[in-house]
Amino acid sequence: MTFPLSRPDTNTDRLAWFRSGLFWRTFVLLAFLIMGSMAAWVASLRVVEREPRAEQLANQIISVVTITRAALTHSAPDMRIELLFDLASNEGIRVYPLEKDDVVLPPRDSTLMPLLQTRIRNKLGSDTRFARKVNDVAGFWVSFKIDGDDYWLMMDRDRIDRTSGIQWLGWAAVTLLLALLGAGFISRLINQPLARLSAAARAIAKGQQPEPLPERGTLEIREANQSFNHMVDDLNRIESDRAVILAGISHDLRTPISRMLLEVEMAKLNDEARAGMQSDLAQMDGIIGQFLDYAKPTDTASFETIDLSQLLELAAQEASRLPDVRVTTHIDTGITIKGNRIELERVVTNLIENARRYGKTGDSALADIDLICCIEGGKVLVEVGDHGNGIPESEMDRLRRPFTRLDVARGQANGSGLGLAIVERVIRRHSGKLHLRNRHDHGLIIEIMLPVA
């Protein structure tokens, strides 16, 4: 019933949104650029401020050790316990004797610690020791001497590591959020004019009249919108001129044809000659009617809800009355669309007549026509098929152009070559698609996809 569709690769579909959408591509690239710039800035800042920070921390630690040692040295023996208590409770500083059997864990390696140790040892002595944990007590430990005795001075780790991992994580989250918001704003600002231009181009492709694009913004956008608006005006003018020319010529031709028909009726001719001339004049009148149909514009504002199932059933009944047609239908009931009833009736009649004229099998005088209508993939699918010789695959696109015929494939040369062009023009104005394909055995199937009402 339907032509096979190739299934896209699942892995390819996962990134389809990134490859197809300029907004998302710009958004992702800008987000990475902003986050990369922020990361480089933070890394550069940490490198630049490492030595000043090491100097500041070393001076602070040296001052604490020097003041603590002086306080303990010059305080009265009975006041030292109270002094140590005040240092522990108010300043977070504890002093312990340094024992040989202390379990010492050295400080973790970092870019700051070597500079810090070097500066402290230059002031307190080269035998100064450092630790991050002594006897399972965590902190920042530094040794010092009082009257030849060794002691440990322990400070809270917060004095050294002013920025915790949680703080860095919070800053990173805020940076990421700001980067995404900035990337989204910039992407929308850049892509909004392009999206507006793309929507207007799609409207033109569907035969609709888009609103004029705003001629403001950057120089490139303003020039592009101005050029597009001029192009739309030129297309409308060309379309109007073409319609006027075709309609004028067609109307002017019908007057002499009517006069010729009258003269044929009154002339003293035998029946065979009269019938032949009347047939030729009727064919000319039909061609002129095709010119008028092709030139006639469609007002989408006049679209109404149409029972397509009923329309096709009536068309099938009318076609079944012809002596050389046999119609097989498979039409689901209750299918409705938005459109112009007269134009859709003309489309169906045109396709059935095309199948009747060219779709006979071999020397058979009977044309078998299959008429199908159903819902498929959320769209209305209409198929009109015959059992004739079909059309070469290489000629299908060419046959959809105006004034094109393929007499070898489809038998004879009656008509102007506007039949399929008129059908496709009407279908496009109804936001639909037309597709031609050959049967597996023989014959042609014309498929029409229309939106559901």
Side-chain angles (χ1 to χ4, degrees):
M1 183 192 302
T2 58
F3 57 94
L5 297 176
S6 58
R7 293 184 178 274
D9 183 50
T10 304
N11 294 329
T12 305
D13 271 354
R14 293 175 182 174
L15 294 178
W17 60 271
F18 177 73
R19 289 192 300 271
S20 62
L22 182 59
F23 172 82
W24 289 110
R25 184 178 298 184
T26 307
F27 174 78
V28 172
L29 294 178
L30 282 175
F32 275 115
L33 177 62
I34 295 174
M35 287 189 292
S37 301
M38 293 294 293
W41 178 80
V42 172
S44 301
L45 179 63
R46 298 195 68 179
V47 170
V48 171
E49 61 101 29
R50 183 172 57 192
E51 289 195 8
R53 185 184 176 198
E55 184 73 27
Q56 180 184 10
L57 290 176
N59 291 335
Q60 180 182 353
I61 294 170
I62 293 170
S63 299
V64 170
V65 172
T66 302
I67 293 173
T68 302
R69 181 167 51 190
L72 292 174
T73 301
H74 295 91
S75 63
D78 56 343
M79 297 295 294
R80 287 179 181 174
I81 296 178
E82 186 176 353
L83 175 61
L84 293 173
F85 179 78
D86 289 339
L87 289 174
S89 59
N90 297 329
E91 303 295 334
I93 298 173
R94 293 175 175 83
V95 178
Y96 301 94
L98 192 154
E99 306 291 346
K100 293 182 179 181
D101 56 352
D102 287 339
V103 180
V104 179
L105 290 180
R108 291 188 178 92
D109 292 334
S110 66
T111 57
L112 184 66
M113 190 56 63
L115 296 174
L116 186 62
Q117 292 178 353
T118 300
R119 282 168 171 73
I120 294 176
R121 284 183 175 135
N122 290 337
K123 296 292 185 179
L124 300 182
S126 59
D127 57 346
T128 303
R129 300 174 59 186
F130 301 89
R132 62 184 172 89
K133 187 180 289 188
V134 176
N135 299 327
D136 292 331
V137 178
F140 182 80
W141 297 74
V142 57
S143 66
F144 67 98
K145 293 180 179 294
I146 299 179
D147 296 333
D149 296 325
D150 291 326
Y151 293 89
W152 286 113
L153 184 143
M154 191 272 287
M155 294 184 294
D156 292 336
R157 190 72 193 178
D158 294 341
R159 287 177 176 261
I160 308 300
D161 296 333
R162 296 182 178 178
T163 306
S164 64
I166 296 178
Q167 288 176 314
W168 278 112
L169 183 62
W171 290 350
V174 172
T175 301
L176 176 61
L177 178 61
L178 293 177
L180 295 178
L181 291 176
F185 175 75
I186 296 174
S187 299
R188 181 175 178 81
L189 191 64
I190 293 175
N191 289 283
Q192 189 176 21
L194 297 178
R196 191 183 294 117
L197 180 61
S198 176
R202 285 197 302 270
I204 292 257
K206 294 178 180 179
Q208 301 171 356
Q209 179 65 31
E211 293 291 332
L213 297 177
E215 298 179 1
R216 61 176 184 271
T218 61
L219 176 63
E220 295 79 6
I221 296 298
R222 188 167 62 252
E223 289 181 349
N225 289 353
Q226 288 175 350
S227 300
F228 186 87
N229 290 337
H230 291 327
M231 182 193 70
V232 172
D233 293 338
D234 291 341
L235 288 175
N236 291 334
R237 184 170 58 256
I238 292 172
E239 180 74 12
S240 177
D241 293 344
R242 182 179 61 82
V244 170
I245 291 173
L246 286 176
I249 293 175
S250 300
H251 281 294
D252 291 342
L253 287 176
R254 275 190 163 169
T255 300
I257 288 177
S258 299
R259 187 166 56 248
M260 292 171 66
L261 283 171
L262 180 61
E263 291 177 354
V264 168
E265 287 290 339
M266 298 177 63
K268 296 180 180 180
L269 301 172
N270 58 54
D271 292 340
E272 184 178 355
R274 179 179 286 106
M277 295 183 68
Q278 287 175 341
S279 176
D280 291 340
L281 291 172
Q283 183 177 341
M284 292 175 62
D285 187 68
I287 292 174
I288 292 174
Q290 287 187 336
F291 275 106
L292 290 174
D293 290 340
Y294 188 73
K296 181 181 178 182
T298 299
D299 183 12
T300 56
S302 64
F303 282 5
E304 59 182 351
T305 302
I306 300 171
D307 189 338
L308 185 62
S309 302
Q310 183 185 29
L311 186 149
L312 293 175
E313 289 285 1
L314 293 175
Q317 293 175 10
E318 291 291 332
S320 299
R321 297 174 184 174
L322 299 174
D324 59 343
V325 173
R326 181 169 57 198
V327 181
T328 302
T329 61
H330 180 78
I331 302 173
D332 294 346
T333 60
I335 297 178
T336 59
I337 62 172
K338 288 282 189 180
N340 185 293
R341 175 177 289 275
I342 296 176
E343 287 201 342
L344 291 174
E345 288 176 348
R346 187 179 297 121
V347 164
V348 176
T349 302
N350 195 325
L351 294 179
I352 292 177
E353 176 62 23
N354 187 72
R356 183 192 70 81
R357 183 178 298 176
Y358 304 119
K360 295 181 174 65
T361 305
D363 297 331
S364 174
L366 188 65
D368 288 317
I369 301 175
D370 301 324
L371 187 58
I372 299 172
C373 180
C374 61
I375 301 291
E376 185 172 293
K379 298 283 186 179
V380 176
L381 172 65
V382 178
E383 289 187 357
V384 180
D386 61 52
H387 297 268
N389 297 325
I391 293 176
E393 297 287 343
S394 59
E395 298 293 334
M396 287 188 177
D397 288 338
R398 189 173 71 86
L399 283 178
R400 295 157 71 169
R401 303 172 189 168
F403 311 106
T404 302
R405 295 178 302 194
L406 189 64
D407 305 331
V408 176
R410 302 293 281 176
Q412 50 184 324
N414 295 332
S416 62
L418 278 174
L420 282 179
I422 294 174
V423 170
E424 184 169 28
R425 188 179 179 88
V426 173
I427 295 303
R428 286 178 58 187
R429 285 197 291 249
H430 286 75
S431 301
K433 294 182 180 179
L434 179 72
H435 181 77
L436 281 66
R437 65 181 178 91
N438 287 317
R439 291 181 183 272
H440 295 299
D441 45 5
H442 53 80
L444 178 70
I445 295 179
I446 299 179
E447 297 180 346
I448 298 174
M449 300 292 292
L450 293 169
V452 181

